[in-house]
Amino acid sequence: DSGVTQTPKHLITATGQRVTLRCSPRSGDLSVYWYQQSLDQGLQFLIQYYNGEERAKGNILERFSAQQFPDLHSELNLSSLELGDSALYFCASSVGQDSYNEQFFGPGTRLTVL
Amino acid sequence: GQQVMQIPQYQHVQEGEDFTTYCNSSTTLSNIQWYKQRPGGHPVFLIQLVKSGEVKKQKRLTFQFGEAKKNSSLHITATQTTDVGTYFCAGRVGGATNKLIFGTGTLLAVQP
């Protein structure tokens, strides 16, 4: 158990819909990262927040957005969902803000878009 | 764009055989991290290398960072069934960017 929690574990929805994935980092960690893992794309970095502020951005679509709240939990919002958005979404956390920090991954949310 | 490739994509070994996965970047990396993901699980941090030519060992695992800081390798001696999983390298491209670029991963299967 990494100490990072993600909800829900599974999510099944239809194209065009909007969903919210939630992540709570390890106690004491200020950074939260979001990743998308699909069979053909591997592990893709989406976005990082550090202490409430956006710190780094990866290949995140405009239909996707994220935020980190004062209690440090984070939400990833996916809208106008397409079939290709079906994937495993991981949240990770670390103590510091730079990429030299070890990242602790949560169990993931499996999103299926029908 | 920045890419980190890993070879092989898949390796099947008999228990007791050695295994190596290679990680290659198109650009110089500030650091390399290695993660292991068991089937159905999440990535778990193994180690980080920062210095050019650095070598680190963890029991049967040996990690190397290339002199030019563009490649890395993970070698497992005498594999065990518990080594099964996908091994990812991840590196930070030098400069202002803070993001880790994950490699394509190598899936290791170990036959008892």
Side-chain angles (χ1 to χ4, degrees):
Chain A
D1 182 11
S2 65
V4 178
T5 60
Q6 288 187 248
T7 56
K9 196 168 184 178
H10 299 278
L11 199 49
I12 301 175
T13 188
T15 55
Q17 294 299 303
R18 173 190 170 93
V19 297
T20 297
L21 312 183
R22 184 189 167 104
C23 167
S24 291
R26 284 189 331 153
S27 176
D29 285 357
L30 298 179
S31 270
V32 168
Y33 309 78
W34 285 98
Y35 291 89
Q36 180 191 60
Q37 186 174 44
S38 54
L39 283 175
D40 59 344
Q41 292 287 328
L43 204 59
Q44 297 288 319
F45 168 70
L46 296 178
I47 197 164
Q48 176 201 359
Y49 279 83
Y50 175 77
N51 205 19
E53 300 289 327
E54 185 183 303
R55 181 68 181 89
K57 213 165 187 175
N59 302 320
I60 187 166
L61 300 172
E62 283 190 14
R63 301 183 285 110
F64 296 0
S65 65
Q67 54 183 325
Q68 186 179 29
F69 295 86
D71 67 353
L72 300 177
H73 91 270
S74 178
E75 292 181 356
L76 178 67
N77 301 295
L78 315 177
S79 61
S80 302
L81 285 168
E82 302 175 358
L83 295 176
D85 298 327
S86 295
L88 198 49
Y89 290 84
F90 285 109
C91 163
S93 73
S94 69
V95 171
Q97 60 178 313
D98 66 46
S99 59
Y100 290 94
N101 290 273
E102 171 182 353
Q103 294 186 21
F104 295 86
F105 282 76
T109 293
R110 182 168 295 283
L111 173 66
T112 302
V113 182
L114 301 175
Chain B
Q2 301 141 4
Q3 282 194 333
V4 179
M5 304 299 293
Q6 280 183 254
I7 53 171
Q9 269 190 304
Y10 172 77
Q11 181 91 55
H12 180 201
V13 300
Q14 291 285 127
E15 190 172 21
E17 291 182 339
D18 292 356
F19 159 77
T20 304
T21 173
Y22 299 91
C23 176
N24 297 292
S25 169
S26 53
T27 54
T28 303
L29 301 171
S30 299
N31 63 330
I32 271 280
Q33 294 182 351
W34 284 91
Y35 290 80
K36 176 185 177 181
Q37 185 175 17
R38 292 182 187 272
H42 58 272
V44 175
F45 176 84
L46 294 176
I47 209 160
Q48 173 168 258
L49 305 169
V50 178
K51 299 177 186 174
S52 168
E54 189 170 11
V55 178
K56 286 189 177 180
K57 292 191 176 185
Q58 283 181 352
K59 297 183 180 178
R60 294 179 295 104
L61 277 60
T62 302
F63 304 83
Q64 288 189 310
F65 200 7
E67 293 291 339
K69 299 183 80 172
K70 284 188 174 183
N71 54 71
S72 180
S73 65
L74 158 58
H75 179 81
I76 302 178
T77 303
T79 54
Q80 299 175 359
T81 54
T82 52
D83 295 325
V84 164
T86 301
Y87 292 85
F88 291 98
C89 63
R92 172 186 169 175
V93 177
T97 179
N98 189 52
K99 54 187 180 182
L100 274 180
I101 308 294
F102 273 78
T104 45
T106 295
L107 174 59
L108 172 64
V110 180
Q111 184 167 356

